[in-house]
């Protein structure tokens, strides 16, 4: 759902709409509609693959995990020790599952705020550290507003007419104090509504509007499938499409009336039954808790440092030599 960075001359919301246009979908494209807060943290890979990469990215964030890969084991452990002191929020010398969960959620949400920081100056034109609706509208749609004749009869014009009021509705939902000027937190909610509880209804409504092609206010099975699969080549449906039809009937359509209403769409795209950060925190504690007291000392974490942060430990000296030779 994030919009930032999707377009320059083309409006951000318009670029998003065009990117999601069914006419551009590949015949076997499978679109993932399920949204998860802290969405940089996806599903855990199967156990036993011998890699701690998922743990590193969950604990550090993707960018910092790459940075730690370039450190020596000694430096990696030293930096981890400093991180542990920050995670232990009550200073009792132990890291609990809850403290780890709070840390992981903060790390995973950091990429969202970094994203907003990168685009903030493009919209805050008067430099008052707030972005008004007018500033956003002019920055995103100014070209179209100023030159309507150029695209009056084009497909872009129809998309523009749809997206401008949709953006305004979302902006007003994010603008909690109703002054039509977004603070950084409010603008973050506008660009990343899936991350904020008060924006969930907007996410559900926009999803419904995207998929509901006949405009009846519901999503039937054909619309559900058309959102993720196009019959452009006229061939048979892949097995995964047949599986999705079964998913629709057995699990999506809760009241079995053959269509999804807003409550059923919410249940589908915003599942509440699994907390990835909680699961990862429990996993890290379980794997490192030597005395099985369900909390970790700094020593226990540092003894299992390669699960938390890692480095190219086995190849570190070799990589340094290789880099030197290449230079």
């Amino acid at each position: 759902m994030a919009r930032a960075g999707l377009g320059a001359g083309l409006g951000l919301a318009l670029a998003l709409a065009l990117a999601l246009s069914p006419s551009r979908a590949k015949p076997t494209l499978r679109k993932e509609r399920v949204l998860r807060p802290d969405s940089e943290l996806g599903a855990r890979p199967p156990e036993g693959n011998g890699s701690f990469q998922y743990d590193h990215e969950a604990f550090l964030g993707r960018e910092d995990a790459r940075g730690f890969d370039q450190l020596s084991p000694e430096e990696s452990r030293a930096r981890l020790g400093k991180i542990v002191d920050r995670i232990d929020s009550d200073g009792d010398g132990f890291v609990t599952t809850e403290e780890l969960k709070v840390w992981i959620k903060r790390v995973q949400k950091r990429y969202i705020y970094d994203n907003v920081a990168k685009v903030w100056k493009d919209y805050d034109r008067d430099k008052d550290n707030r972005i008004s609706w007018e500033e956003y509208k002019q920055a995103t749609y100014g070209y179209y507003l100023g030159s309507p004749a150029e695209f009056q009869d084009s497909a872009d014009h129809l998309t523009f007419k749809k997206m401008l009021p949709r953006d305004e509705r979302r902006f007003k939902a994010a603008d909690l104090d109703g002054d039509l000027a977004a603070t950084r937190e409010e603008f973050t909610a506008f660009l990343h509504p899936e991350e904020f509880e008060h924006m969930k209804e907007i996410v559900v409504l926009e999803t419904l509007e995207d998929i509901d092609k006949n405009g009846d206010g519901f999503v039937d099975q054909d619309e559900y499938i058309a959102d993720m699969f196009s019959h452009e080549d006229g061939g048979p449906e892949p097995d995964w499409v047949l599986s999705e039809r079964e998913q629709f009937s057995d699990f999506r359509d809760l009241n079995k009336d053959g269509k999804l209403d807003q409550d059923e769409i919410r249940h589908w795209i915003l599942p509440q039954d699994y907390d990835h950060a909680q699961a990862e925190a429990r996993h890290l504690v379980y794997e490192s808790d030597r005395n099985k007291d369900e909390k970790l000392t700094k020593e226990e974490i540092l003894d299992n440092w390669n699960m938390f942060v890692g480095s190219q430990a086995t190849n570190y000296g070799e990589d340094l030599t290789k880099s030197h030779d290449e230079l």
Side-chain angles (χ1 to χ4, degrees):
M1 299 296 294
R3 301 180 179 208
L6 286 175
L10 191 66
L12 298 185
L14 182 55
L16 177 69
L18 293 177
L20 297 181
S21 170
S23 65
R24 292 170 177 250
K26 296 178 181 178
T28 57
L29 176 65
R30 184 173 190 168
K31 183 181 297 180
E32 178 57 71
R33 282 282 181 183
V34 178
L35 302 173
R36 301 186 187 279
D38 313 321
S39 51
E40 196 178 50
L41 182 58
R44 167 173 285 282
E47 296 291 344
N49 65 356
S51 172
F52 293 137
Q53 192 61 36
Y54 181 90
D55 300 300
H56 298 167
E57 292 183 2
F59 185 74
L60 296 168
R62 196 163 295 159
E63 289 301 318
D64 282 0
R66 290 196 195 99
F68 265 82
D69 281 346
Q70 307 309 313
L71 302 177
S72 69
E74 293 75 22
E75 180 64 16
S76 187
R77 291 179 84 257
R79 292 197 186 183
L80 174 59
K82 295 177 181 178
I83 291 174
V84 173
D85 293 337
R86 294 168 60 190
I87 297 173
D88 179 17
S89 57
D90 59 9
D92 67 351
F94 296 97
V95 170
T96 64
T97 300
E98 182 63 23
E99 286 173 326
L100 261 178
K101 183 184 81 171
V102 169
W103 169 263
I104 290 169
K105 283 184 175 292
R106 183 186 306 156
V107 164
Q108 295 304 319
K109 191 162 283 191
R110 184 174 59 200
Y111 85 98
I112 297 169
Y113 291 99
D114 289 347
N115 170 260
V116 172
K118 289 176 183 177
V119 302
W120 181 264
K121 64 180 182 298
D122 296 331
Y123 297 107
D124 184 17
R125 295 185 168 189
D126 62 8
K127 309 305 177 188
D128 66 346
N129 207 32
R130 297 166 75 82
I131 295 172
S132 69
W133 166 245
E134 285 300 317
E135 284 178 312
Y136 176 81
K137 184 171 72 172
Q138 288 301 321
T140 304
Y141 298 100
Y143 172 79
Y144 303 104
L145 293 169
S147 309
E150 289 193 27
F151 65 101
Q152 184 64 38
D153 298 322
S154 70
D156 285 359
H157 178 63
L158 297 176
T159 305
F160 163 79
K161 288 182 68 176
K162 174 184 176 182
M163 294 305 295
L164 179 57
R166 178 161 152 162
D167 264 2
E168 185 173 12
R169 181 182 64 193
R170 188 197 279 199
F171 192 95
K172 289 179 177 178
D175 178 28
L176 290 177
D177 58 12
D179 63 354
L180 288 181
T183 63
R184 282 191 182 250
E185 188 74 3
E186 288 171 334
F187 197 63
T188 302
F190 170 68
L191 290 181
H192 299 274
E194 71 280 0
E195 302 288 341
F196 292 82
E197 192 62 37
H198 68 281
M199 298 295 290
K200 296 295 177 64
E201 293 310 309
I202 286 291
V203 174
V204 172
L205 182 57
E206 290 182 0
T207 302
L208 171 60
E209 291 172 345
D210 285 344
I211 305 176
D212 175 25
K213 299 307 180 185
N214 64 14
D216 67 350
F218 298 93
V219 172
D220 61 35
Q221 187 179 113
D222 288 339
E223 289 170 330
Y224 173 82
I225 295 299
D227 182 57
M228 62 185 79
F229 174 74
S230 172
H231 287 272
E232 289 178 2
D233 60 358
E237 292 182 344
D239 289 343
W240 67 261
V241 174
L242 299 177
S243 176
E244 282 294 340
R245 289 191 181 277
E246 294 175 359
Q247 284 284 320
F248 182 94
S249 299
D250 296 342
F251 301 107
R252 309 282 187 238
D253 181 16
L254 300 176
N255 62 8
K256 307 305 177 188
D257 65 352
K259 56 191 178 184
L260 306 184
D261 57 25
Q262 290 194 38
D263 286 339
E264 290 166 323
I265 291 172
R266 184 185 305 104
H267 188 270
W268 162 36
I269 69 170
L270 297 169
Q272 302 296 314
D273 57 347
Y274 189 74
D275 186 330
H276 286 267
Q278 176 79 18
E280 178 63 15
R282 287 175 175 169
H283 171 72
L284 291 172
V285 170
Y286 177 81
E287 293 295 337
S288 306
D289 182 18
R290 291 181 311 196
N291 62 5
K292 302 306 176 187
D293 61 353
E294 299 184 356
K295 55 187 177 181
L296 302 179
T297 63
K298 190 173 187 176
E299 181 182 10
E300 285 176 321
I301 292 174
L302 292 179
D303 283 347
N304 200 25
W305 65 274
N306 59 326
M307 168 168 277
F308 288 85
V309 296
S311 75
Q312 301 294 342
T314 56
N315 297 323
Y316 183 71
E318 177 185 335
D319 288 347
L320 281 182
T321 303
K322 185 183 298 182
S323 298
H324 179 73
D325 292 342
E326 289 174 353
L327 292 175

